[in-house]
Amino acid sequence: MSQSSARMPLIDALKAIASQLIVLHHLAAYGPLSAAMQQAAPGVVGWFYDYARMAVQVFLVIGGFLAARGLSAQGEGLAAAPFGLIWKRYTRLVIPFMAAMALAIIGAAIAGQWMEDDSIPARATLAQWFAHAFLLHGVLDFDSLSAGAWYVAIDFQLFALMALLLWLGHAGGRMLGGFRYLAMLLVCALAVSSLLWFNREAGWDNWGIYFFGSYGLGAATWWASDRRRLTTWLAVIAAITVLALVIDFRLRIALALALALGLGFARRSGLLERWPDNAVLAYLGKISYSVFLVHFPICLVANGLYAKFGLESASTAAIGMLAAWATSIGVATLFYRYIESPAASMRIGATLAWPVKRLLSRQTG
């Protein structure tokens, strides 16, 4: 869920819609609110449960698209070692992420006083907390403190993989006499291997390589949609992905392909930078990561209140869901302003780093 300094309205609109669908998916998936609505509108609730979660593909494809744009706009690779960029990405993700995990623990504690439900995470251990802080909770098989926590770790892995491949590709290209496209080829090769193999094995789903097919589709689309390159590049991307779908059809990959092609043609036509001109979608896109992070504890508390007051009707459940949805957007607005925004995140990072800098200065002095 990367942020871009020069925003593109279509990207913001897609992120806005995808983040709201994920909120609705979790409302449809957990707690007594979902159970009450399931009885009244099983088709609607079932659709949000089964299909709204595929909105994650939007973030995966857009993530690769923007990573290619930011790291290697022409596909030439990275000349300098990428570890500083990877660290910057880590801090950009983890500062708001850990703040949201604190909210998740508080929300779970409150909801746990009012109801018993499998959606409420168990009390966090110190080891579990550190695993989340280092974005290793999935790899180390710790239970997540919040729904969607897995994605933040995957996003970091994908960015790191991309940066390393671009760096290795640049270095290898120089060794091969200035072959400038090796970096792109390495990224695309890993994307193809993900589509044809890793993404078909559920045991890899705690690792970025499982999702690199969609991420790589986004990156390849950025490079292929450059007006100086042949349009047939997009056809090659589509052909390889269609082959992967023929071997093993996955609706999520078909969605990723459709989105990647749409972004490619939008960039070629100029729509990417000028459509849709909608302030609401632009703002919801800007705060989409905050919405993603904070909505689950709010959903837990909303379910807890519904259980506490002994409510059972579908009408009150619908009101509860709408209230949780609206509250998620309101809290995300505050969360973005005071925690996630670049200025707030930089301020928090500097505050956290101050004791370490102080200690080092004493030792060197």
Side-chain angles (χ1 to χ4, degrees):
M1 298 182 188
S2 58
Q3 303 289 331
S4 174
S5 58
R7 291 191 174 276
M8 293 172 279
L10 181 57
I11 296 289
D12 279 334
L14 289 169
K15 292 197 298 183
I17 294 168
S19 63
Q20 301 308 312
L21 284 173
I22 289 170
V23 175
L24 292 172
H25 165 68
H26 287 140
L27 282 169
Y30 302 116
L33 287 173
S34 171
M37 287 301 296
Q38 177 70 34
Q39 295 179 359
V44 174
V45 174
W47 187 91
F48 280 112
Y49 179 80
D50 290 330
Y51 297 109
R53 58 184 170 179
M54 291 189 186
V56 169
Q57 294 298 319
V58 174
F59 292 113
L60 290 169
V61 173
I62 287 175
F65 189 81
L66 294 180
R69 173 183 179 246
L71 294 174
S72 179
Q74 303 302 320
E76 68 279 7
L78 284 170
F83 304 111
L85 292 170
I86 292 171
W87 173 252
K88 184 178 179 181
R89 182 65 177 173
Y90 170 77
T91 56
R92 180 75 183 88
L93 288 172
V94 85
I95 289 174
F97 175 66
M98 291 309 293
M101 292 307 98
L103 288 178
I105 291 172
I106 294 170
I110 294 171
Q113 299 297 313
W114 299 331
M115 69 175 183
E116 293 184 6
D117 194 89
D118 291 341
S119 62
I120 301 176
R123 181 175 296 180
T125 65
L126 185 61
Q128 188 180 18
W129 182 260
F130 275 108
H132 279 71
F134 290 104
L135 302 180
L136 294 172
H137 43 285
V139 172
L140 298 179
D141 201 26
F142 282 97
D143 290 336
S144 291
L145 296 174
S146 179
W150 65 272
Y151 178 82
V152 181
I154 293 299
D155 182 280
F156 175 67
Q157 289 184 39
L158 289 170
F159 181 87
L161 269 174
M162 177 88 158
L164 288 168
L165 287 172
L166 291 172
W167 178 46
L168 292 173
H170 182 272
R174 292 185 63 184
M175 292 174 61
L176 294 175
F179 181 53
R180 60 174 303 195
Y181 297 117
L182 182 60
M184 284 193 297
L185 289 176
L186 288 179
V187 171
C188 292
L190 187 61
V192 170
S193 67
S194 175
L195 290 169
L196 295 178
W197 182 31
F198 294 107
N199 189 255
R200 298 170 59 203
E201 300 290 338
W204 287 99
D205 64 358
N206 284 317
W207 296 90
I209 198 169
Y210 179 86
F211 302 93
F212 201 84
S214 298
Y215 197 82
L217 268 174
T221 297
W222 171 266
W223 292 319
S225 59
D226 190 315
R227 290 186 176 88
R228 291 170 292 183
R229 295 200 171 98
L230 296 175
T231 307
T232 49
W233 281 40
L234 286 176
V236 171
I237 295 169
I240 293 172
T241 310
V242 168
L243 173 63
L245 291 172
V246 169
I247 294 172
D248 183 2
F249 183 80
R250 290 145 286 171
L251 184 58
R252 63 186 183 274
I253 300 301
L255 176 62
L257 173 61
L259 178 63
L261 292 176
L263 287 175
F265 287 116
R267 187 183 177 213
R268 278 290 181 95
S269 65
L271 284 176
L272 189 67
E273 292 85 9
R274 65 173 188 265
W275 183 86
D277 184 13
N278 185 288
V280 173
L281 287 176
Y283 184 74
L284 290 176
K286 184 172 74 170
I287 67 169
S288 59
Y289 185 42
S290 291
V291 171
F292 184 85
L293 289 176
V294 307
H295 77 276
F296 185 66
I298 293 167
C299 293
L300 285 181
V301 172
N303 274 283
L305 286 169
Y306 186 81
K308 174 181 171 63
F309 291 108
L311 303 175
E312 296 180 352
S313 69
S315 59
T316 53
I319 293 171
M321 283 188 169
L322 288 173
W325 187 10
T327 303
S328 296
I329 296 172
V331 172
T333 298
L334 296 173
F335 191 89
Y336 178 83
R337 179 176 180 179
Y338 294 108
I339 296 176
E340 194 223 329
S341 68
S345 184
M346 187 179 300
R347 185 170 58 250
I348 294 169
T351 301
L352 294 175
W354 181 82
V356 177
K357 290 181 179 178
R358 180 90 173 169
L359 179 62
L360 291 175
S361 65
R362 285 183 176 179
Q363 290 179 342
T364 55

